[in-house]
Amino acid sequence: MLRKYGIIFIFWANVGLAQVSVSIAEYRPFPEKIELLGIEPTKVGWSIANNLLLLDVNHSELIELSSFGDVTLSGGFNQRSSSFNELIWMGLSPNGIQVVDRLENKIITLDYHLNSMGESKLNRHIFPELGALDSWGRLFLYSRTYNVIFSVEQKRLIETPFIDLTKEFGKSACLKDLEVNQDGELAFLDCDGTVHIFNRLGQVQLYYPSKIDNAEFLVPVRQRWFVFNTQGEGRSIKTNETVTIPVASLPVVDIASLNRSLAILSNDHILILDVK
């Protein structure tokens, strides 16, 4: 019996030491135009045709960076938009690019050249802090004001909370990151470094400690969930496999995933890694 448990212990110890294989697929330095415009990206996301979205949360500026280094501004090709108040999230939806304005409590839909296609006001003043979008176009918004994660379907806020964090945890929650994986699982990283996973119906499934110091980013890669800190240390919450981001891309400002690829946002470039 002791030998059996010893084998199990050795197996899990080896899993804890396993390193996920990653390769550098692309390095994209920021074009000079970004610096000239005074834009300092704080969030990265994927767009169409291998383009990337960059959001400067501090100045509520959204741009698109093509694979050739071309920059598209949020008002179109040659002008900046002044219609945004406090953008907190952007993402690629089936209907275009969506951005969430916290103070205005609205969702703005843009075409793939970042021209406005319309907007919809949320039918409650929730002042969202975080957002996440699933593969079917359902948007999830975390409201610290209500201590709730709401869902938005067909551009309308569902009044009944998708996840009532007060009921689940009995107190006001503190969220650092919110994401949805390809299977529709919703997960968030709390301020204590724990990852909480919910199914597509909003029912709590599992929770895991992140096992790295100062976890900041929650990243789904296929069936795996990873957490990262700004120093480039990453770990799978279920298998304990580790990922290390190259030193040249530190500190990490943000991370976004698409299938098996990771876009690592640094201060002056984006590094794209393929996860094996």
mmCIF file of all heavy atoms in Angstrom, residues 206-229:
data_model
loop_
_atom_site.group_PDB
_atom_site.id
_atom_site.type_symbol
_atom_site.label_atom_id
_atom_site.label_comp_id
_atom_site.label_asym_id
_atom_site.label_seq_id
_atom_site.Cartn_x
_atom_site.Cartn_y
_atom_site.Cartn_z
ATOM 1 N N LEU A 206 -15.713 23.795 -10.045
ATOM 2 C CA LEU A 206 -14.470 23.523 -9.333
ATOM 3 C C LEU A 206 -13.785 24.825 -8.978
ATOM 4 O O LEU A 206 -14.096 25.880 -9.536
ATOM 5 C CB LEU A 206 -13.530 22.684 -10.221
ATOM 6 C CG LEU A 206 -14.016 21.322 -10.700
ATOM 7 C CD1 LEU A 206 -13.160 20.826 -11.854
ATOM 8 C CD2 LEU A 206 -13.996 20.307 -9.570
ATOM 9 N N TYR A 207 -12.834 24.730 -8.046
ATOM 10 C CA TYR A 207 -11.948 25.864 -7.801
ATOM 11 C C TYR A 207 -10.551 25.327 -7.527
ATOM 12 O O TYR A 207 -10.371 24.224 -7.010
ATOM 13 C CB TYR A 207 -12.452 26.741 -6.650
ATOM 14 C CG TYR A 207 -12.400 26.098 -5.282
ATOM 15 C CD1 TYR A 207 -11.278 26.250 -4.463
ATOM 16 C CD2 TYR A 207 -13.482 25.362 -4.796
ATOM 17 C CE1 TYR A 207 -11.229 25.668 -3.211
ATOM 18 C CE2 TYR A 207 -13.442 24.780 -3.542
ATOM 19 C CZ TYR A 207 -12.318 24.941 -2.755
ATOM 20 O OH TYR A 207 -12.263 24.354 -1.517
ATOM 21 N N TYR A 208 -9.555 26.105 -7.933
ATOM 22 C CA TYR A 208 -8.162 25.696 -7.830
ATOM 23 C C TYR A 208 -7.316 26.878 -7.349
ATOM 24 O O TYR A 208 -7.511 27.994 -7.833
ATOM 25 C CB TYR A 208 -7.605 25.265 -9.183
ATOM 26 C CG TYR A 208 -8.243 24.044 -9.787
ATOM 27 C CD1 TYR A 208 -9.389 24.170 -10.571
ATOM 28 C CD2 TYR A 208 -7.695 22.766 -9.614
ATOM 29 C CE1 TYR A 208 -9.977 23.058 -11.155
ATOM 30 C CE2 TYR A 208 -8.276 21.658 -10.196
ATOM 31 C CZ TYR A 208 -9.420 21.807 -10.962
ATOM 32 O OH TYR A 208 -9.992 20.706 -11.535
ATOM 33 N N PRO A 209 -6.370 26.630 -6.454
ATOM 34 C CA PRO A 209 -5.373 27.669 -6.168
ATOM 35 C C PRO A 209 -4.441 27.812 -7.356
ATOM 36 O O PRO A 209 -4.146 26.837 -8.053
ATOM 37 C CB PRO A 209 -4.633 27.127 -4.937
ATOM 38 C CG PRO A 209 -4.802 25.636 -5.018
ATOM 39 C CD PRO A 209 -6.142 25.408 -5.651
ATOM 40 N N SER A 210 -3.982 29.022 -7.623
ATOM 41 C CA SER A 210 -3.159 29.251 -8.809
ATOM 42 C C SER A 210 -1.741 28.697 -8.662
ATOM 43 O O SER A 210 -1.088 28.380 -9.650
ATOM 44 C CB SER A 210 -3.093 30.742 -9.122
ATOM 45 O OG SER A 210 -2.562 31.455 -8.027
ATOM 46 N N LYS A 211 -1.237 28.627 -7.460
ATOM 47 C CA LYS A 211 0.087 28.055 -7.160
ATOM 48 C C LYS A 211 1.247 28.847 -7.746
ATOM 49 O O LYS A 211 2.340 28.313 -7.899
ATOM 50 C CB LYS A 211 0.164 26.588 -7.607
ATOM 51 C CG LYS A 211 -0.806 25.672 -6.866
ATOM 52 C CD LYS A 211 -0.646 24.229 -7.293
ATOM 53 C CE LYS A 211 -1.621 23.328 -6.563
ATOM 54 N NZ LYS A 211 -1.506 21.921 -6.996
ATOM 55 N N ILE A 212 1.010 30.087 -8.111
ATOM 56 C CA ILE A 212 2.108 30.983 -8.454
ATOM 57 C C ILE A 212 1.907 32.279 -7.687
ATOM 58 O O ILE A 212 0.784 32.622 -7.302
ATOM 59 C CB ILE A 212 2.211 31.280 -9.972
ATOM 60 C CG1 ILE A 212 0.962 31.995 -10.476
ATOM 61 C CG2 ILE A 212 2.459 30.015 -10.761
ATOM 62 C CD1 ILE A 212 1.107 32.488 -11.894
ATOM 63 N N ASP A 213 2.979 32.994 -7.449
ATOM 64 C CA ASP A 213 2.887 34.245 -6.699
ATOM 65 C C ASP A 213 2.314 35.352 -7.570
ATOM 66 O O ASP A 213 2.644 35.475 -8.750
ATOM 67 C CB ASP A 213 4.279 34.664 -6.195
ATOM 68 C CG ASP A 213 4.848 33.692 -5.180
ATOM 69 O OD1 ASP A 213 4.048 33.042 -4.474
ATOM 70 O OD2 ASP A 213 6.086 33.560 -5.105
ATOM 71 N N ASN A 214 1.437 36.147 -6.973
ATOM 72 C CA ASN A 214 0.910 37.360 -7.618
ATOM 73 C C ASN A 214 0.284 37.079 -8.978
ATOM 74 O O ASN A 214 0.558 37.761 -9.974
ATOM 75 C CB ASN A 214 2.026 38.400 -7.768
ATOM 76 C CG ASN A 214 2.684 38.742 -6.441
ATOM 77 O OD1 ASN A 214 1.998 38.994 -5.452
ATOM 78 N ND2 ASN A 214 4.009 38.728 -6.415
ATOM 79 N N ALA A 215 -0.573 36.066 -9.027
ATOM 80 C CA ALA A 215 -1.267 35.740 -10.276
ATOM 81 C C ALA A 215 -2.121 36.919 -10.739
ATOM 82 O O ALA A 215 -2.842 37.524 -9.946
ATOM 83 C CB ALA A 215 -2.137 34.503 -10.083
ATOM 84 N N GLU A 216 -2.036 37.250 -12.035
ATOM 85 C CA GLU A 216 -2.750 38.410 -12.576
ATOM 86 C C GLU A 216 -3.657 38.056 -13.756
ATOM 87 O O GLU A 216 -4.673 38.708 -13.960
ATOM 88 C CB GLU A 216 -1.746 39.469 -13.059
ATOM 89 C CG GLU A 216 -0.999 40.180 -11.959
ATOM 90 C CD GLU A 216 -1.864 41.173 -11.197
ATOM 91 O OE1 GLU A 216 -2.870 41.634 -11.771
ATOM 92 O OE2 GLU A 216 -1.533 41.465 -10.042
ATOM 93 N N PHE A 217 -3.275 37.033 -14.529
ATOM 94 C CA PHE A 217 -3.965 36.753 -15.778
ATOM 95 C C PHE A 217 -4.486 35.319 -15.805
ATOM 96 O O PHE A 217 -3.774 34.387 -15.431
ATOM 97 C CB PHE A 217 -3.034 36.970 -16.976
ATOM 98 C CG PHE A 217 -2.286 38.278 -16.936
ATOM 99 C CD1 PHE A 217 -0.916 38.301 -16.692
ATOM 100 C CD2 PHE A 217 -2.946 39.481 -17.106
ATOM 101 C CE1 PHE A 217 -0.216 39.492 -16.650
ATOM 102 C CE2 PHE A 217 -2.262 40.682 -17.061
ATOM 103 C CZ PHE A 217 -0.887 40.692 -16.825
ATOM 104 N N LEU A 218 -5.712 35.169 -16.275
ATOM 105 C CA LEU A 218 -6.335 33.861 -16.450
ATOM 106 C C LEU A 218 -6.492 33.620 -17.948
ATOM 107 O O LEU A 218 -7.086 34.443 -18.653
ATOM 108 C CB LEU A 218 -7.689 33.829 -15.753
ATOM 109 C CG LEU A 218 -8.514 32.553 -15.860
ATOM 110 C CD1 LEU A 218 -7.780 31.370 -15.228
ATOM 111 C CD2 LEU A 218 -9.871 32.755 -15.178
ATOM 112 N N VAL A 219 -5.955 32.491 -18.445
ATOM 113 C CA VAL A 219 -5.879 32.272 -19.890
ATOM 114 C C VAL A 219 -6.333 30.853 -20.232
ATOM 115 O O VAL A 219 -5.704 29.882 -19.801
ATOM 116 C CB VAL A 219 -4.439 32.483 -20.416
ATOM 117 C CG1 VAL A 219 -4.408 32.373 -21.930
ATOM 118 C CG2 VAL A 219 -3.886 33.828 -19.962
ATOM 119 N N PRO A 220 -7.414 30.700 -21.033
ATOM 120 C CA PRO A 220 -7.799 29.362 -21.495
ATOM 121 C C PRO A 220 -7.033 28.983 -22.751
ATOM 122 O O PRO A 220 -6.894 29.778 -23.683
ATOM 123 C CB PRO A 220 -9.296 29.524 -21.806
ATOM 124 C CG PRO A 220 -9.446 30.968 -22.198
ATOM 125 C CD PRO A 220 -8.394 31.734 -21.422
ATOM 126 N N VAL A 221 -6.503 27.764 -22.773
ATOM 127 C CA VAL A 221 -5.836 27.221 -23.962
ATOM 128 C C VAL A 221 -6.405 25.825 -24.192
ATOM 129 O O VAL A 221 -6.065 24.886 -23.480
ATOM 130 C CB VAL A 221 -4.303 27.154 -23.798
ATOM 131 C CG1 VAL A 221 -3.661 26.612 -25.073
ATOM 132 C CG2 VAL A 221 -3.729 28.523 -23.450
ATOM 133 N N ARG A 222 -7.316 25.731 -25.183
ATOM 134 C CA ARG A 222 -8.035 24.487 -25.419
ATOM 135 C C ARG A 222 -8.734 24.043 -24.127
ATOM 136 O O ARG A 222 -9.484 24.786 -23.549
ATOM 137 C CB ARG A 222 -7.082 23.417 -25.944
ATOM 138 C CG ARG A 222 -6.454 23.750 -27.288
ATOM 139 C CD ARG A 222 -7.453 23.628 -28.427
ATOM 140 N NE ARG A 222 -6.815 23.885 -29.714
ATOM 141 C CZ ARG A 222 -7.412 23.669 -30.879
ATOM 142 N NH1 ARG A 222 -8.646 23.219 -30.892
ATOM 143 N NH2 ARG A 222 -6.785 23.932 -32.004
ATOM 144 N N GLN A 223 -8.462 22.812 -23.665
ATOM 145 C CA GLN A 223 -9.138 22.315 -22.458
ATOM 146 C C GLN A 223 -8.393 22.685 -21.162
ATOM 147 O O GLN A 223 -8.776 22.244 -20.085
ATOM 148 C CB GLN A 223 -9.293 20.801 -22.528
ATOM 149 C CG GLN A 223 -10.547 20.333 -23.247
ATOM 150 C CD GLN A 223 -10.485 20.559 -24.736
ATOM 151 O OE1 GLN A 223 -9.466 20.303 -25.369
ATOM 152 N NE2 GLN A 223 -11.582 21.032 -25.298
ATOM 153 N N ARG A 224 -7.330 23.469 -21.276
ATOM 154 C CA ARG A 224 -6.553 23.798 -20.087
ATOM 155 C C ARG A 224 -6.747 25.265 -19.686
ATOM 156 O O ARG A 224 -6.939 26.124 -20.533
ATOM 157 C CB ARG A 224 -5.060 23.519 -20.327
ATOM 158 C CG ARG A 224 -4.729 22.042 -20.467
ATOM 159 C CD ARG A 224 -3.244 21.835 -20.733
ATOM 160 N NE ARG A 224 -2.857 22.255 -22.077
ATOM 161 C CZ ARG A 224 -1.627 22.153 -22.569
ATOM 162 N NH1 ARG A 224 -0.660 21.649 -21.807
ATOM 163 N NH2 ARG A 224 -1.353 22.541 -23.793
ATOM 164 N N TRP A 225 -6.677 25.498 -18.389
ATOM 165 C CA TRP A 225 -6.700 26.852 -17.847
ATOM 166 C C TRP A 225 -5.325 27.156 -17.261
ATOM 167 O O TRP A 225 -4.796 26.388 -16.468
ATOM 168 C CB TRP A 225 -7.747 26.982 -16.737
ATOM 169 C CG TRP A 225 -9.169 26.990 -17.197
ATOM 170 C CD1 TRP A 225 -10.031 25.934 -17.227
ATOM 171 C CD2 TRP A 225 -9.900 28.117 -17.683
ATOM 172 N NE1 TRP A 225 -11.248 26.325 -17.698
ATOM 173 C CE2 TRP A 225 -11.212 27.667 -17.987
ATOM 174 C CE3 TRP A 225 -9.583 29.470 -17.890
ATOM 175 C CZ2 TRP A 225 -12.196 28.518 -18.483
ATOM 176 C CZ3 TRP A 225 -10.572 30.312 -18.376
ATOM 177 C CH2 TRP A 225 -11.852 29.841 -18.672
ATOM 178 N N PHE A 226 -4.767 28.292 -17.663
ATOM 179 C CA PHE A 226 -3.471 28.722 -17.154
ATOM 180 C C PHE A 226 -3.619 30.043 -16.402
ATOM 181 O O PHE A 226 -4.481 30.866 -16.727
ATOM 182 C CB PHE A 226 -2.470 28.931 -18.300
ATOM 183 C CG PHE A 226 -1.986 27.670 -18.945
ATOM 184 C CD1 PHE A 226 -2.682 27.108 -20.003
ATOM 185 C CD2 PHE A 226 -0.840 27.034 -18.494
ATOM 186 C CE1 PHE A 226 -2.240 25.946 -20.611
ATOM 187 C CE2 PHE A 226 -0.394 25.873 -19.089
ATOM 188 C CZ PHE A 226 -1.094 25.318 -20.151
ATOM 189 N N VAL A 227 -2.757 30.227 -15.416
ATOM 190 C CA VAL A 227 -2.631 31.528 -14.757
ATOM 191 C C VAL A 227 -1.198 32.011 -14.953
ATOM 192 O O VAL A 227 -0.259 31.211 -15.017
ATOM 193 C CB VAL A 227 -2.974 31.462 -13.252
ATOM 194 C CG1 VAL A 227 -4.458 31.273 -13.034
ATOM 195 C CG2 VAL A 227 -2.189 30.364 -12.557
ATOM 196 N N PHE A 228 -1.059 33.319 -15.087
ATOM 197 C CA PHE A 228 0.251 33.935 -15.282
ATOM 198 C C PHE A 228 0.385 35.135 -14.352
ATOM 199 O O PHE A 228 -0.618 35.748 -13.945
ATOM 200 C CB PHE A 228 0.421 34.437 -16.722
ATOM 201 C CG PHE A 228 0.583 33.368 -17.752
ATOM 202 C CD1 PHE A 228 -0.529 32.765 -18.326
ATOM 203 C CD2 PHE A 228 1.851 32.959 -18.164
ATOM 204 C CE1 PHE A 228 -0.391 31.784 -19.296
ATOM 205 C CE2 PHE A 228 1.998 31.982 -19.134
ATOM 206 C CZ PHE A 228 0.875 31.391 -19.695
ATOM 207 N N ASN A 229 1.631 35.476 -14.043
ATOM 208 C CA ASN A 229 1.886 36.744 -13.365
ATOM 209 C C ASN A 229 2.660 37.660 -14.304
ATOM 210 O O ASN A 229 3.025 37.277 -15.415
ATOM 211 C CB ASN A 229 2.616 36.541 -12.027
ATOM 212 C CG ASN A 229 3.957 35.836 -12.174
ATOM 213 O OD1 ASN A 229 4.579 35.845 -13.232
ATOM 214 N ND2 ASN A 229 4.424 35.216 -11.094
#
